[in-house]
C-alpha cells in the first residue's frame, strides 16, 4: 500500500512549474425580477411553482395535488406530516413515503435551484427517497446566480449541502426525457414567507 | 511587394486549373507573382503522420524556395496553417521565421492585404454552398464559427459577394468538418466517407448546385463521395470563381 | 495488449445505419444546446479562461492542495486513503467493506471506478455492485464500457435496451417504451439502496481543498441516495479533481452542465463535507498514472478535464464512430489524448482517429488544447515506431523524396503513375482504400509546374 508521504512526494516531483491563481471577478449580475427568473428557470428543469398564503394551506395543497390519503413526511415544523420525522429516523424507513416537505434556505434565480443542508432536511434522504418533494421557499431568500451562491458561508458549516433543481431526471435512453429517475418524480416550490 | 506563389503538391498534380486561376487572379490585381520552380511540398502529410523529424528535408526546401519574399500565397488553408504552425523540424533562423510569418492563404491575402471586394470580371449565377475548411475556419480564423459566440464574419463570403449572380444556400451544419483530414481519409475510410456523404447531402438538401471552397482537398473528398453517390453536385475552387470561371 | 483498431470498429458501427444516424443527431443536438447556453452568457469566454487558469494553478501546486484537502477532510471526521494504483483502490474498497461485513455496493457514476475496473475486482470477491445511473446500469448489464462520459448508453436504441432488460432484469423484451424501461430500472434498483449490509459509493466532480468537500453532480439523484441512505459513503477521487476554494465552484458549476448537456445546472449538485452522525465517510484519492501524466510537459493539460463530454458531442468522428470503438474508459477527443498514457501501443490509433479540425478545443470549458495534443501524440507515436498505418522506413523515404526537387518532380511527372510510384505512405495502397466508396480525381493533361514552364517560364511543358 502506498504511504501518504510517497504518494504526495510523487505528485510533488511531477507537478509543473508554479502557475499563479487567477483573480475571479464578480460578473455583472442579471438582476431584474428574481422571482420571475427563478420560476421560469425551474419550469425549464421540470419543476412547478405555486403560491400559498399561509403554512396551514400547504397540507391541503398536497392532498389536492397528490391525493387525499398520501403519506407525508415533513422536515419543517410549519407543516405536519403523517409520519414523524426526527434526526434519528432511519433513512430507509422513508422509502414508502409519498410526499416529503422541506423548507429551502434559499433559491437561485439563474438556475431555479433551491438549497438544503442537513439542517433543512433533518434526514438527508428525505429529498430523494420519497416520491414527490414539496419545497417551501421564501421569495425574499433568492440570490441572483451561482457566483453568489458559492460566495456564501453556508457551505462551511453544512456537513451535506445540495443545490436541487427540479425533480430527478434522465435522458439516457434515446435522449427521451424521463422525470423521476432515481429520485423524486416531481418537485413543487411553494412560495411562502418564512415566519 | 515581392509575392511568391506556393502551389500545394496535390494541386500541382491533380488540379492545375486551381493553380492557374490563383496566378491569374493575383495578376488581375496588378501583382507580379514569382513561382519558385524548385518547390516540392510543405511537408504536411509528414507532419500529420507524426513524422516530425523526417519532415526536415521538405521544410528546408520550402524555406529555401520562399526566402526573401514579403508574401507567400497559396490556395490551401491547411498547407498555409502547416507552414505557419508546424514548420519546426528545421532551425528557426530569422529567415525561416520570416518565411513562416509571410505565408498567406489566398482568401486571407486578397481580403486583408489586397483589400479586394469587387470582381467585375466574374459571374457565377448558381446556388452556392460555401464550404470553409476547418483549417480556414478554426486555424486561420477566416470566418466566425458556430461554437464560439461573436460577431459573425466571413472573409471568403465577403469576397464571393463581389461576384455577380451568386446565391448562398444555408446548410444545417455550415461549419462541421467534411472528413478529409489528410491521411485520415484513407486510414479512417469508413468515418471519412460517412462525413463526406453527410456534408454533400447537407449542401444538396439546402439547394446547392455548386459547392465552393478555398480548400481543394475538401472538395476532392466531397466530390469523390458525391460522384459515387450519383449525387447531382458540382465542385469548384474559390480561386476559379473569383477569377471568372463560369462553371 | 493488441492495438485497438478504431477504424474497423467505427466501420461496424456505421453499418448500423439507424444507430449511427441517431447517435450523430442526438450528440449534435447536445452540442447545439451547449452553444445556446454558452452564447447566452456574456462572460463565457472569460469563464473558460478562469476555469483553465484555476486548474493549471491547482495542478502546478497539486501536492500542497492534496495535503490541504486531506487535512480538511480528516478534521471533518472523514477517513482519507491514498491509492497509487487501480489495484490499490480496488483493494481498499474491498477492505473497507469487508471489515464492516458489507456485501452490496450501490454507486453513482464514476469514470474513475470504470478505469480501475473496480466491478471486475469486487464481484468475484462476493460484493454485489449496483450501478444506479441508468446509462451505467445498461452498460453494466451488457458487460460493456460506458460509451460516453455523460450519456453512457447513447449508442443504444430503445429496442436494444428492451432486449437487454428482458434478458437481465425480467422486463417484457418487446416493450421498448422508454418510460416503461426507465421505470423498470427505477423499481429494480430501489431495493438496493435500502438493503442491509450496503455501502454507497460516489465519484467526485470537484474536490475542494479549502473545506475538504467532495462535489458530485447528477441528474438522477442517485449519488444522493447512494450517499445518504447507507451508513457508509465511499468517494473515489482522481487527484486531478482538486480545486482550491468553494468560491471556485461559482466558475465550474456554471460551466459543467452547460457544456455537457446544454442545461444550466444538473438536477442535483451535492456537496459532501462530513459524515452524518453515526455513519462513516471515506475518501479514496487515486493516482493511477495521473502523476506520470502530470510530469509530461506537453500532455499534463489533459488533467484539467472536468468530464463534461462536450468534446465528444462536437467531434464529428466520435459521433459517427460510437465511444466503444475507442476501446477504453475514455473515448472521443479526450480519450485520444489520455488513453495513450495508459498504453501507448494499444491506443496508438486513437490520435489518428481525428481530422484535427479543432472544434473540441473550442468547446472545452477548461481550454484543454485537445487537437494540439492529438498532433503532438502523433509525433510521440511516430518516434516509438508505432504509427498504425505506416512503417518508419517509409516515412523516412517519403521525407527524402519531398526534400529533393529533382526526385520529387520525376515522380510527379507522369500523372497516371503518380500515386503508384510515390513510396507508399501507407502499408496498403491508398488508392484501393480511397476508391472503396469514392471516385478518384481525374488525371489532368499536365501538372501546374509543367503548365507554368510551358506558358510562363519557358521550357518544353514536361513535368
Amino acid at each position: 500500500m502506498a504511504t501518504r508521504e510517497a504518494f504526495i512526494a510523487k505528485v510533488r516531483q511531477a507537478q509543473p512549474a508554479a502557475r499563479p491563481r487567477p483573480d475571479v471577478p464578480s460578473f455583472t449580475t442579471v438582476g431584474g425580477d428574481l422571482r420571475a427568473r427563478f420560476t421560469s428557470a425551474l419550469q425549464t428543469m421540470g419543476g412547478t411553482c405555486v403560491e400559498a398564503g399561509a403554512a396551514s394551506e400547504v397540507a391541503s395543497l398536497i392532498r389536492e395535488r397528490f391525493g387525499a390519503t398520501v403519506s407525508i413526511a415533513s422536515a419543517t415544523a410549519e407543516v405536519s406530516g403523517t409520519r414523524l420525522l426526527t434526526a434519528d429516523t432511519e433513512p430507509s424507513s422513508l422509502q414508502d413515503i409519498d410526499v416529503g416537505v422541506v423548507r429551502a434556505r434559499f433559491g437561485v434565480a439563474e438556475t431555479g435551484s433551491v438549497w438544503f443542508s442537513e439542517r433543512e432536511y433533518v434526514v438527508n434522504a428525505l429529498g430523494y427517497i420519497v416520491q414527490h418533494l414539496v419545497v417551501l421557499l421564501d421569495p425574499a431568500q433568492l440570490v441572483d446566480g451561482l457566483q453568489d451562491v458559492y460566495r456564501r458561508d453556508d457551505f462551511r458549516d453544512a456537513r451535506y449541502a445540495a443545490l436541487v433543481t427540479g425533480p430527478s431526471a434522465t435522458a439516457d435512453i434515446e435522449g427521451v426525457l424521463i422525470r423521476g429517475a432515481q429520485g423524486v418524480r416531481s418537485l413543487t416550490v411553494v412560495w411562502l414567507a418564512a415566519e | 511587394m515581392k509575392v511568391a506563389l506556393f502551389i500545394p503538391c496535390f494541386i500541382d498534380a491533380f488540379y492545375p486549373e486551381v493553380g492557374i486561376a490563383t496566378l491569374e487572379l493575383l495578376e488581375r490585381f496588378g501583382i507580379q507573382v514569382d513561382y519558385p520552380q524548385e518547390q516540392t511540398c510543405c511537408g504536411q502529410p509528414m507532419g500529420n503522420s507524426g513524422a516530425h523529424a523526417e519532415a526536415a528535408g521538405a521544410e528546408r526546401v520550402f524555406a529555401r524556395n520562399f526566402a526573401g519574399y514579403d508574401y507567400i500565397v497559396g490556395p490551401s488553408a491547411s498547407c498555409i496553417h502547416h507552414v505557419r504552425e508546424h514548420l519546426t523540424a528545421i532551425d528557426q533562423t530569422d529567415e525561416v521565421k520570416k518565411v513562416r510569418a509571410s505565408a498567406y492563404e489566398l482568401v486571407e491575402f486578397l481580403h486583408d492585404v489586397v483589400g479586394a471586394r469587387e470582381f467585375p470580371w466574374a459571374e457565377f449565377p448558381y446556388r452556392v454552398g460555401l464550404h470553409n475548411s476547418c483549417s480556414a475556419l478554426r486555424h486561420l480564423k477566416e470566418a466566425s464559427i458556430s461554437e464560439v459566440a461573436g460577431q459573425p464574419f466571413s472573409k471568403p463570403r465577403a469576397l464571393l459577394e463581389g461576384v455577380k449572380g451568386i446565391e448562398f444556400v444555408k446548410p444545417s451544419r455550415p461549419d462541421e468538418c467534411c472528413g478529409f483530414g489528410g491521411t485520415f481519409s484513407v486510414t479512417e475510410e469508413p468515418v471519412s466517407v460517412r462525413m463526406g456523404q453527410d456534408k454533400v447531402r447537407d449542401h444538396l438538401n439546402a439547394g446547392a448546385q455548386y459547392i465552393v471552397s478555398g480548400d481543394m482537398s475538401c472538395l476532392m473528398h466531397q466530390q469523390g463521395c458525391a460522384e459515387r453517390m450519383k449525387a447531382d453536385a458540382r465542385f469548384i475552387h474559390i480561386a476559379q470563381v473569383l477569377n471568372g470561371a463560369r462553371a | 495488449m493488441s492495438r485497438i483498431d478504431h477504424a474497423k470498429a467505427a466501420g461496424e458501427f456505421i453499418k448500423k445505419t439507424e444507430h449511427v444516424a441517431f447517435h450523430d443527431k442526438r450528440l449534435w443536438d447536445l452540442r447545439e444546446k451547449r452553444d445556446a447556453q454558452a452564447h447566452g452568457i456574456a462572460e463565457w469566454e472569460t469563464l473558460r479562461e478562469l476555469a483553465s487558469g484555476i486548474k493549471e494553478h491547482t495542478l502546478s501546486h497539486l501536492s500542497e492542495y492534496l495535503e490541504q484537502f486531506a487535512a480538511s477532510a480528516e478534521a471533518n471526521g472523514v477517513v482519507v486513503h491514498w491509492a497509487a494504483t487501480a489495484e490499490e483502490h480496488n483493494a481498499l474498497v474491498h477492505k473497507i467493506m469487508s471489515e464492516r461485513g458489507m456485501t452490496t455496493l450501490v454507486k453513482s457514476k464514476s469514470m474513475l471506478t470504470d478505469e480501475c475496473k473496480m466491478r471486475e475486482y469486487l464481484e468475484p470477491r462476493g460484493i454485489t455492485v449496483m450501478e444506479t445511473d441508468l446509462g451505467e446500469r445498461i452498460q453494466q448489464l451488457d458487460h460493456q464500457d460506458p460509451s460516453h462520459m455523460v450519456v453512457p448508453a447513447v449508442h443504444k436504441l430503445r429496442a436494444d435496451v428492451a432486449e437487454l432488460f428482458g434478458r437481465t432484469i425480467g422486463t417484457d423484451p418487446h416493450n421498448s417504451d422508454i418510460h416503461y424501461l426507465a421505470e423498470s430500472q427505477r423499481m429494480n434498483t430501489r431495493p438496493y439502496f435500502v438493503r442491509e449490509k450496503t455501502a454507497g459509493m460516489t465519484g467526485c466532480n470537484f474536490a475542494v481543498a479549502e473545506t475538504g468537500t467532495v462535489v458530485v453532480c447528477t441528474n438522477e439523484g442517485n449519488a444522493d441516495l447512494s450517499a445518504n441512505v447507507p451508513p457508509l459513503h465511499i468517494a473515489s477521487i482522481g487527484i486531478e479533481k482538486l480545486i482550491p476554494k468553494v468560491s471556485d465552484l461559482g466558475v465550474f458549476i456554471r460551466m459543467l452542465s452547460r457544456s455537457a448537456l446544454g442545461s444550466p445546472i444538473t438536477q442535483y449538485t451535492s456537496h459532501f463535507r462530513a459524515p452524518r452522525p453515526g455513519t462513516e465517510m471515506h475518501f479514496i484519492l487515486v493516482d493511477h498514472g495521473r502523476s506520470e501524466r502530470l510530469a509530461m510537459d506537453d500532455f499534463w493539460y489533459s488533467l484539467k478535464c472536468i468530464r463534461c463530454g462536450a468534446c465528444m458531442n462536437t467531434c464529428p468522428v466520435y459521433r459517427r464512430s460510437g465511444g466503444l470503438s475507442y476501446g477504453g474508459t475514455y473515448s472521443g477527443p479526450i480519450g485520444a489524448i489520455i488513453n495513450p498514457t495508459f498504453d501507448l501501443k494499444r491506443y496508438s490509433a486513437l490520435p489518428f482517429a481525428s481530422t484535427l479540425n479543432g472544434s473540441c478545443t473550442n468547446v472545452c470549458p477548461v481550454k484543454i488544447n485537445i487537437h494540439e495534443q492529438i498532433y503532438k501524440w502523433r509525433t510521440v507515436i511516430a518516434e516509438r515506431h508505432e504509427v498504425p498505418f505506416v512503417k518508419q522506413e517509409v516515412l523516412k523515404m517519403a521525407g527524402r523524396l519531398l526534400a529533393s526537387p529533382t526526385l520529387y518532380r520525376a515522380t510527379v511527372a507522369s500523372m497516371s503513375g503518380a500515386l503508384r510510384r510515390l513510396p507508399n505512405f501507407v502499408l496498403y495502397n491508398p488508392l484501393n482504400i480511397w476508391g472503396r466508396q469514392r471516385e478518384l480525381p481525374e488525371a489532368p493533361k499536365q501538372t501546374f509546374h509543367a503548365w507554368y514552364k510551358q506558358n510562363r517560364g519557358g521550357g518544353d511543358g514536361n513535368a
Side-chain angles (χ1 to χ4, degrees), chain B residues 46-103:
Chain B
M46 311 283 314
N48 282 2
S49 305
H52 183 248
E54 289 79 359
E59 293 182 14
R60 232 168 263 124
V61 169
F62 190 93
R64 193 172 65 231
N65 270 269
F66 291 102
Y69 287 97
D70 301 313
Y71 298 98
I72 300 150
V73 182
S76 163
S78 65
C79 303
I80 295 298
H81 170 66
H82 182 80
V83 170
R84 281 199 198 143
E85 293 304 316
H86 293 305
L87 222 75
T88 50
I90 49 176
D91 251 354
Q92 297 297 298
T93 61
D94 283 340
E95 188 174 80
V96 167
K97 285 189 205 168
K98 177 159 199 286
V99 164
R100 290 179 66 193
S102 308

Side-chain angles (χ1 to χ4, degrees), chain A residues 1-5 7-25 27-30 41 44-47 87 90-96 110-113 115-116 118 121 123-133 145-152 154-185 187, chain C residues 22 26 43 46-47 50 53-54 56-57 59-64 66-67 70-71 74 76 82-84 88 91-92 132-135 138 150-154 156-159 161 178-179 181-183 185-187 189-190 193-194 210-211 219-222 224-225 228-229 239 244-251 253-254 258 263-277 285-287 291-292 294-295 300-301:
Chain A
M1 290 285 175
T3 64
R4 171 195 180 121
E5 285 66 39
F7 187 108
I8 292 184
K10 191 154 185 258
V11 174
R12 188 176 299 119
Q13 218 176 6
Q15 63 201 28
R19 310 262 167 139
R21 204 198 128 74
D23 277 320
V24 182
F27 297 99
T28 317
T29 54
V30 179
T44 318
M45 300 295 279
E90 191 53 48
S92 55
S93 71
L94 299 174
Q95 62 180 299
D96 60 337
E110 177 186 355
T111 50
S113 310
W115 191 97
F116 310 104
E118 67 275 10
Y121 274 139
V123 177
N124 292 344
L126 180 73
Y128 315 97
I129 200 168
V130 304
Q131 301 301 310
H132 303 278
L133 196 64
L146 289 170
Q147 64 172 352
D148 310 296
V149 171
Y150 284 110
R151 290 193 162 102
R152 291 174 68 114
D154 303 86
F155 290 96
R156 275 173 207 292
D157 300 317
R159 300 172 85 96
Y160 168 69
L163 273 167
V164 175
T165 317
S168 119
T170 180
D172 269 338
I173 304 176
E174 282 196 24
V176 169
L177 184 60
I178 304 288
R179 302 224 185 274
Q182 299 302 316
V184 299
R185 298 177 190 275
L187 185 137
Chain C
F22 170 76
R26 163 71 173 144
E43 61 266 23
T46 308
L47 287 173
L50 289 169
I54 294 169
E56 289 185 8
H57 162 76
L59 290 166
S60 72
H61 294 275
L62 189 57
S63 54
E64 293 109 86
L66 282 169
E67 286 181 309
E74 282 164 352
N76 296 332
W82 306 80
E88 284 181 22
L92 272 165
T132 59
D133 175 89
L134 174 56
I138 290 168
V150 173
V151 281
V154 69
K156 287 182 155 75
L157 295 176
R158 67 190 76 185
V161 180
I178 291 172
H179 287 83
L181 293 169
E183 182 72 18
Q185 184 252 351
R186 176 194 171 98
M187 300 305 271
T189 304
R190 185 51 76 93
F193 291 115
V194 298
E210 185 186 27
T211 52
N219 288 305
E220 300 192 28
N222 52 330
D224 302 275
L225 281 167
N228 284 309
V229 180
I239 55 175
K245 297 172 182 241
V246 172
S247 61
D248 295 330
L249 292 168
V251 174
I253 299 295
R254 289 187 78 194
R258 287 182 163 112
S263 86
I265 194 173
T266 48
Q267 320 283 122
Y268 299 97
T269 308
S270 308
H271 314 75
F272 300 97
R273 192 182 63 82
R276 308 187 308 280
L285 290 162
V286 181
D287 186 332
S291 55
E292 271 90 359
L294 190 58
W300 67 272
Y301 302 96

